[in-house]
Amino acid sequence: MAWLTRFANLLRGRRVDEEIERELKFHLEEKREALEASGMSPKDARRAAAVRFGNYTLQKGRTREMDIAGWVEAGIGDARYGLRQLRLNPGFASVAIVTLALGIGANTAIFQVINAIRLRPLPVRRPSELVMVDRMPHFMTAGNYRSRNSAFTYAQYRAVEGSARAFSGVLAFGTTRFNLNAGGEAKYAAGLHVSPNFLSVLGVAPMMGADFGAAYERPDCGGGAAIVSYAFWQREMGGDPKAIGRTIRLDGRPTPVIGVAPPDFTGLEPERRFDVAVPLCEDNLYAADGKGAMFYRDTWWLTLVGRLRPGWTIERAKTEMGQISPQVFRETMSERYPADVAKAYLKNRFTLAEAGAGISPLRREYGDPLWILLGISGLVLLIACANLANLLLARAGAREREIGVRLAIGASRARVAGQMLVESLLVAAAGAMAGAALAQGISRAMASFLGTEDDPLALRLGLDWRVFAFTSVLGLGACVLFGLAPALRASGFAPVGALRAGGRGTAGGREQNRLRKALVVSQAALSVVLLAGGLLFGRSLWKLLGTPTGIQSKGLMVAIVDAGMAQWSDERKQTEFNELGAGLAVAPGVEAAAGVMFAPFSGSGWNDQARGDGMGGELKETWFNAAGPGYFAVTATPLIAGRDFERGDRAGAPRVAIVNRKFAEDIFGGANPLGRTFRTQAWAGEPEKVYRIVGLVENTKYGGLREKFRPIAWVPLAQRDKGNVGDGVSVMLRVRGPMGPAMEGVKKALERVSPALSVEFRVVDVQIGRTVTRERLMANLSGGFAVLAAVLSTLGIYGLMSYTVARRRNEIGVRMALGADRARVVALVAREAGVLVAAGVVLGLAGALALSRYAESLLYGLKPNDPLTMAMAAALVVGAGLAATVAPARRAARLDPSEALRQE
Amino acid sequence: MGKNKNDILQGTLTLLVLRVLEARGALHGYALTGLIQEASAELLRVEEGSLYPALHRMEQEGWLESSWDMTERRRQAKFYRITEKGRRQLEEEKESWERLTKGVARVMKFA
């Protein structure tokens, strides 16, 4: 274990020194005495002893090296020296560290988000055993739909749980929200409906209180019980140690709390935290029809997660799921499906997906964009490294003398290069640390950007070993990238030249200059790639925001009214909801109002199969909505022909519909649809519904800006089926002036209708903005990175050109003395810069064209090789290059030839 | 780390130190010098000080162990002893030394 003691001795260097000193001194003393005893004079004896001993300092040093790991000690020395160098050069040090911190911070932040939604395992027992039941492609889900994730019916859950041998347990959960307030403005808690084995399958024990037991397995459990999250317990119950048994109000219903989950468990979705979990069997308590989702075999609401039995791989389990699928779907089919729907249903197949890192809708939507952003920020880091390498090369040039002296007095080249690398390492370490700190802010800003006020994302962005490893590798990689070449270069030149010429025109100069030029070319190329990316995403977003929505969204607001706690009968709900539009139209601040079932861009929807009478029997996928009288006047959607909804379109009157242009094209082949009828597919045993078209409106977007116009049919709110009325309605409000007073007016008006009504407001422009969050994220971040890249590259070109002009002072002086005018001098400098930038632009365009196809799926209205975008990117880099050259070129042109020559 | 210009000399020095310590028990550096000089007239004439890096290296290798103790003349000195590992090393070095001298002797005879 020699190396171990050697390292240990590092810590007691001085004691080791003293001990060696004593040992050697003892030897000299003994020798001297022996010699004196043999008759020498004391003086001669001392000298003779020293002569016989040899070179005392050398032997002492060599003895010491045997005891102490010398290279480490040298490294510490280098680090001290490096620190001193950096302190002497605060400008260089701070530029270098800030540049690196930006590069590393951006990368780390994006990695943290990826880590949180994709890599980080859930805080549950053996997360790698968890798998999620997923759908094979072409999975058919006719019926009602109410969940964020890939959802299944309760009957399917029971069948999978009963027949799959792959799992030691299968849990199910559905997402919902509970209103904690009893009226007025709603205050929502994130809710889960969970199978009673939810926590036990995950291997999570309640921190306080009890888990749901077998009593909650029965469909009629009814009693009411909730397990709340730690955060909810802290926030809403004040961390009460006697919280167990206290009741909370969920949608107005008092529910006893039976348990509190442990602090680190926030549910199975990594980007969300649950507040309250209630058993599946309680769903019927909140259902308008008293039956709830468990009852229906065509209500899709549950996510299924199983724990693989020991010894089962996910592949083996997938095979089994495929095998049991036909039987499961036969057994669980809704009796309401007509024949063709039933046929499609029976073709459904299950598959499995890993769920150890949780179930994340965000992962599906942002998986690719985040990797692309990581790639982009990686390129920014490369540019930053190129800049630093250039700076270091310039410094190495300035330090040629110092290094020459060190080489001349016997330092080895490896030692000099090592010393330079240690300096780079210090800069890299400082940059990585600052970057990691910066990343905490950036990643949190990204998370809040991706979430919304009423649906905030709760990503676990903390530092774990993955983030730490990522940042360290980044820092080290950067150090090697920017530090290695200058270090090798610095130790590679002849000391004689450096000492002789005083730092000018040395042997290494030309080669070093070539390296610096190559760095600038690659910076320009990378900038073109990044600018092209930023422009593609930016222009995509611009186009997207400019697409017609079919409504005048400015000044539009939606009031989402919930009557779940008003205890109204179905008939009362129907009448009240029909009247609400007219009632709110007279509220202060409101210009016009109309009820609507699904406000546009709300994320909810209703689709069905329809066919036009007289157009053959083919059913076509169609989107539906329901609206009150005057709806199209409120949204300012142009009415092409026919009429808006009126008060006369009431229940019992013949069914009417207003359709959009796309509907007329799809269902009636573009013919005038006014007065014609269409019918929708009926459930088994029910008659088909027939609608007469009374109006034709311009196309409008249904769920988001990106979508193509869909065929839409609107029916009057008042003519909806009783089962389709639900607990609430939205009211579209055209607001005069600011939104705030209008909200107050609407709240007061609703209170007069019933104090048990609760309401939420949405500004339509904001809603529209949210449908393009992903595009906005890409545009903002890639644009920001592109600007950063351009600035860094401009600095790089400026640095190189300034250096070149300084180096060519004499040559320029001679040229001017021989008659070159200023314009020629400027051209001389500009030509040199132009060649570099042109080379960079050509390389960059090639790179951009090769890489941009990876972004194709994220673009809107643009091809990835869009020529205008490419030209803009190239022009911007050329412009940046010109801007960077102006100052050095003018400096060259202002040179006084006589002075420049005198210095020779 | 300093390179030794005479590896054979260095190897011989190790062998001698181990051999002497094996025969005489604990000794301090100065005593060792005397004994080695007795045994070989020339080896340490060069520089007595070069014994010490060798001793410290051998201690790091685990062939020797050391402790501070009193000499007969009541002085503090660092005493070295051979360890079990050192004895094994000595056997090895002895063998290779014998091989070497035999080889050299044969060359001298037949050349």
Side-chain angles (χ1 to χ4, degrees):
Chain A
M1 292 301 224
W3 62 270
L4 197 66
T5 27
R6 284 177 177 186
F7 270 101
N9 280 341
L10 276 177
L11 302 175
R12 39 189 293 266
R14 180 171 289 172
R15 294 243 333 259
V16 172
D17 281 349
E18 281 170 7
E19 210 173 301
I20 293 172
E21 188 88 27
R22 269 171 69 200
E23 191 179 7
L24 300 191
K25 280 272 152 57
F26 167 78
H27 183 111
L28 283 174
E29 203 57 19
E30 290 282 300
K31 187 81 189 179
R32 186 181 59 78
E33 281 179 20
L35 289 174
E36 254 182 78
S38 72
M40 266 193 206
S41 72
K43 199 177 156 196
D44 289 348
R46 176 167 293 125
R47 184 182 300 148
V51 168
R52 293 292 292 278
F53 191 85
N55 185 335
Y56 183 85
T57 318
L58 176 72
Q59 296 300 359
K60 188 183 150 195
R62 283 178 54 196
T63 307
R64 188 170 189 281
E65 271 179 22
M66 294 301 162
D67 287 346
I68 289 185
W71 59 272
V72 177
E73 225 183 19
I76 292 172
D78 283 350
R80 279 213 192 99
Y81 180 76
L83 274 179
R84 200 159 58 232
Q85 285 291 324
L86 293 177
R87 258 209 308 273
L88 286 174
N89 252 308
F92 165 78
S94 47
V95 165
I97 291 169
V98 167
T99 316
L100 265 187
L102 286 175
I104 291 180
N107 278 280
T108 304
I110 293 166
F111 181 78
Q112 272 184 300
V113 175
I114 292 178
N115 182 37
I117 67 175
R118 185 182 277 267
L119 304 175
R120 200 169 189 158
L122 292 168
V124 301
R125 173 161 36 94
R126 294 194 298 281
S128 59
E129 289 177 358
L130 295 180
V131 293
M132 174 184 79
V133 179
D134 206 348
R135 303 157 168 186
M136 288 296 249
H138 313 296
F139 200 93
M140 199 282 306
T141 58
N144 293 316
Y145 210 81
R146 44 170 260 207
S147 196
R148 273 195 289 274
N149 305 315
S150 187
F152 299 100
T153 68
Y154 181 71
Q156 286 163 354
Y157 167 52
R158 279 304 187 196
V160 168
E161 197 193 19
S163 56
R165 288 175 305 127
F167 307 118
S168 58
V170 184
L171 65 85
F173 72 95
T175 56
T176 182
R177 55 181 200 174
F178 295 115
N179 189 348
L180 299 173
N181 284 349
E185 190 138 21
K187 175 181 177 186
Y188 287 105
L192 291 179
H193 287 294
V194 301
S195 55
N197 62 0
F198 184 73
L199 289 180
S200 60
V201 168
L202 294 176
V204 172
M207 184 192 77
M208 246 170 73
D211 197 351
F212 299 119
Y216 295 93
E217 289 287 355
R218 302 210 327 264
D220 59 343
C221 65
I227 290 178
V228 301
S229 73
Y230 180 85
F232 182 89
W233 174 62
Q234 287 288 330
R235 190 178 69 229
E236 300 293 332
M237 310 182 77
D240 179 4
K242 295 200 203 71
I244 304 305
R246 262 177 67 177
T247 55
I248 50 174
R249 279 182 172 273
L250 303 178
D251 286 353
R253 172 176 298 279
T255 308
V257 171
I258 64 161
V260 178
D264 58 345
F265 181 72
T266 56
L268 286 177
E269 294 172 287
E271 62 258 32
R272 288 194 166 78
R273 293 166 194 273
F274 84 101
D275 290 319
V276 182
V278 302
L280 293 180
C281 57
E282 283 179 26
D283 173 63
N284 58 1
L285 301 180
Y286 306 96
D289 63 358
K291 288 180 186 157
M294 273 171 95
F295 179 83
Y296 295 103
R297 296 180 143 210
D298 50 16
T299 296
W300 303 80
W301 62 307
L302 296 176
T303 304
L304 310 186
V305 173
R307 182 178 285 283
L308 290 175
R309 272 184 211 285
W312 278 71
T313 62
I314 185 165
E315 290 309 319
R316 186 174 162 206
K318 266 186 197 167
T319 313
E320 199 214 6
M321 287 305 283
Q323 284 161 358
I324 65 170
S325 285
Q327 195 197 341
V328 167
F329 288 107
R330 255 198 319 278
E331 284 172 2
T332 60
M333 191 168 71
S334 167
E335 60 289 352
R336 300 202 289 176
Y337 283 166
D340 51 344
V341 175
K343 211 172 118 195
Y345 179 82
L346 290 175
K347 282 192 194 141
N348 282 345
R349 294 290 177 270
F350 292 122
T351 183
L352 298 172
E354 282 175 16
I359 294 159
S360 166
L362 207 61
R363 192 187 306 162
R364 258 194 296 265
E365 198 178 345
Y366 286 101
D368 289 348
L370 284 173
W371 289 117
I372 290 177
L373 284 176
L374 194 61
I376 288 177
S377 59
L379 292 185
V380 174
L381 186 58
L382 275 184
I383 293 182
C385 285
N387 247 10
L388 289 186
N390 247 336
L391 266 175
L392 280 174
L393 280 174
R395 273 187 84 213
R399 281 165 70 179
E400 269 178 13
R401 269 187 88 87
E402 171 210 332
I403 293 165
V405 169
R406 292 177 61 188
L407 286 173
I409 61 173
S412 71
R413 295 192 188 282
R415 193 73 178 67
V416 170
Q419 208 274 308
M420 301 276 289
L421 259 186
V422 165
E423 262 183 70
S424 303
L425 201 61
L426 284 174
V427 170
M433 273 190 275
L438 197 62
Q440 303 318 304
I442 303 176
S443 60
R444 274 165 187 73
M446 272 175 75
S448 67
F449 185 86
L450 294 179
T452 60
E453 287 145 44
D454 28 67
D455 186 16
L457 293 185
L459 290 172
R460 288 181 300 146
L461 291 169
L463 294 167
D464 60 6
W465 66 266
R466 283 179 210 81
V467 177
F468 187 72
F470 179 84
T471 312
S472 311
V473 167
L474 226 51
L476 272 181
C479 170
V480 169
L481 273 176
F482 72 75
L484 198 57
L488 293 180
R489 185 70 66 217
S491 61
F493 62 79
V496 185
L499 292 179
R500 187 192 54 217
R504 194 176 56 79
T506 58
R510 168 165 295 183
E511 205 178 331
Q512 177 186 313
N513 212 33
R514 203 178 305 147
L515 182 64
R516 296 191 63 184
K517 284 179 177 171
L519 285 171
V520 163
V521 169
S522 53
Q523 277 186 316
L526 289 173
S527 302
V528 171
V529 173
L530 291 178
L531 281 167
L535 284 167
L536 277 177
F537 290 122
R539 295 189 61 215
S540 252
L541 177 67
W542 187 252
K543 292 207 166 196
L544 206 48
L545 292 176
T547 56
T549 58
I551 61 174
Q552 285 270 338
S553 55
K554 198 165 184 305
L556 264 190
M557 184 168 74
V558 186
I560 305 163
V561 180
D562 181 357
M565 285 175 285
Q567 316 277 337
W568 285 345
S569 68
D570 287 350
E571 289 71 25
R572 172 106 193 260
K573 275 184 207 159
Q574 181 75 291
T575 7
E576 295 281 359
F577 293 168
N578 293 343
E579 292 305 317
L580 217 46
L584 295 186
V586 297
V590 176
E591 206 161 74
V596 64
M597 190 168 171
F598 302 112
F601 309 108
S602 64
S604 307
W606 163 22
N607 60 344
D608 207 339
Q609 312 265 323
R611 67 186 143 94
D613 286 334
M615 299 301 296
E618 201 194 338
L619 285 162
K620 286 188 177 150
E621 176 92 357
T622 308
W623 291 80
F624 279 78
N625 202 346
Y631 174 78
F632 295 101
V634 175
T635 58
T637 304
L639 195 64
I640 302 168
R643 63 170 175 87
D644 207 335
F645 287 128
E646 292 164 358
R647 295 185 71 84
D649 301 323
R650 64 184 81 247
R655 288 179 190 276
V656 296
I658 294 174
V659 300
N660 69 351
R661 190 194 284 276
K662 179 83 168 113
F663 183 97
E665 282 161 10
D666 280 13
I667 307 286
F668 291 104
N672 180 4
L674 277 193
R676 299 186 69 166
T677 53
F678 68 91
R679 51 194 71 214
T680 54
Q681 185 172 47
W683 291 119
E686 287 174 22
E688 285 184 332
K689 290 178 197 119
V690 183
Y691 301 88
R692 194 170 56 82
I693 298 171
V694 297
L696 174 66
V697 292
E698 200 45 81
N699 288 333
T700 59
K701 299 256 157 132
Y702 197 100
L705 281 180
R706 270 194 91 104
E707 77 189 21
K708 293 207 173 69
F709 285 121
R710 302 170 179 178
I712 308 173
W714 281 269
V715 301
L717 265 184
Q719 290 186 348
R720 285 188 295 173
D721 294 330
K722 221 170 79 177
N724 207 3
V725 171
D727 270 338
V729 71
S730 295
V731 180
M732 199 64 131
L733 305 158
R734 172 68 61 192
V735 173
R736 199 185 315 121
M739 299 279 174
M743 287 185 197
E744 287 309 310
V746 168
K747 265 192 247 175
K748 287 216 178 71
L750 286 173
E751 213 164 298
R752 278 196 296 278
V753 177
S754 161
L757 292 178
S758 64
V759 63
E760 277 181 284
F761 294 98
R762 296 274 188 278
V763 175
V764 175
D765 266 336
V766 176
Q767 293 279 99
I768 292 176
R770 275 180 199 156
T771 69
V772 292
T773 303
R774 193 174 70 171
E775 287 74 10
R776 212 181 278 270
L777 178 80
M778 293 305 289
N780 287 353
L781 285 186
S782 66
F785 287 147
V787 169
L788 191 59
V791 168
L792 288 175
S793 307
T794 310
L795 286 176
I797 298 170
Y798 172 79
L800 180 68
M801 292 325 292
S802 305
Y803 172 76
T804 309
V805 167
R807 218 169 48 89
R808 292 174 70 180
R809 239 174 111 84
N810 301 296
E811 178 207 329
I812 294 168
V814 171
R815 280 171 189 268
M816 291 175 92
L818 291 178
D821 58 9
R822 281 169 195 232
R824 277 191 100 118
V825 171
V826 170
L828 188 75
V829 177
R831 192 164 56 232
E832 185 166 355
V835 169
L836 297 180
V837 171
V841 165
V842 170
L843 283 174
L845 283 177
L849 288 173
L851 290 172
S852 61
R853 65 199 155 89
Y854 292 107
E856 181 156 23
S857 65
L858 296 170
L859 300 179
Y860 180 88
L862 284 173
K863 287 260 172 296
N865 58 359
D866 183 60
L868 179 60
T869 307
M870 296 296 158
M872 285 164 80
L876 280 170
V877 172
V878 169
L882 278 181
T885 315
V886 168
R890 283 181 50 183
R891 211 174 299 142
R894 274 206 304 266
L895 266 182
D896 179 356
S898 59
E899 200 170 307
L901 288 174
R902 202 172 303 135
Q903 284 194 342
E904 178 69 327
Chain B
M1 264 159 246
K3 287 198 182 87
N4 203 297
K5 291 207 174 72
N6 193 337
D7 283 344
I8 294 181
L9 208 63
Q10 174 79 45
T12 320
L13 184 56
T14 309
L15 179 60
L16 283 176
V17 168
L18 289 173
R19 178 73 190 95
V20 171
L21 287 177
E22 188 201 27
R24 308 288 286 263
L27 290 172
H28 51 71
Y30 178 71
L32 261 171
T33 331
L35 287 169
I36 290 172
Q37 269 164 1
E38 262 174 41
S40 73
E42 287 309 313
L43 211 49
L44 280 174
R45 281 283 156 79
V46 193
E47 276 193 4
E48 285 177 3
S50 64
L51 176 67
Y52 288 93
L55 281 175
H56 280 241
R57 182 177 56 82
M58 289 161 79
E59 189 182 359
Q60 290 295 335
E61 296 285 357
W63 302 337
L64 305 182
E65 55 189 17
S66 70
S67 58
W68 286 85
D69 219 332
M70 285 295 180
T71 64
E72 291 150 17
R73 292 163 55 192
R74 318 294 300 159
R75 279 220 179 100
Q76 281 279 335
K78 195 173 177 186
F79 284 77
Y80 292 88
R81 270 173 305 280
I82 189 166
T83 64
E84 203 38 58
K85 205 172 162 191
R87 281 177 213 281
R88 284 200 299 274
Q89 182 67 21
L90 175 60
E91 286 312 307
E92 267 176 44
E93 299 230 347
K94 249 195 228 164
E95 266 171 46
S96 67
W97 174 251
E98 273 157 22
R99 264 202 310 277
L100 178 72
T101 45
K102 258 184 213 157
V104 172
R106 199 169 295 158
V107 170
M108 300 307 278
K109 212 191 252 170
F110 294 109

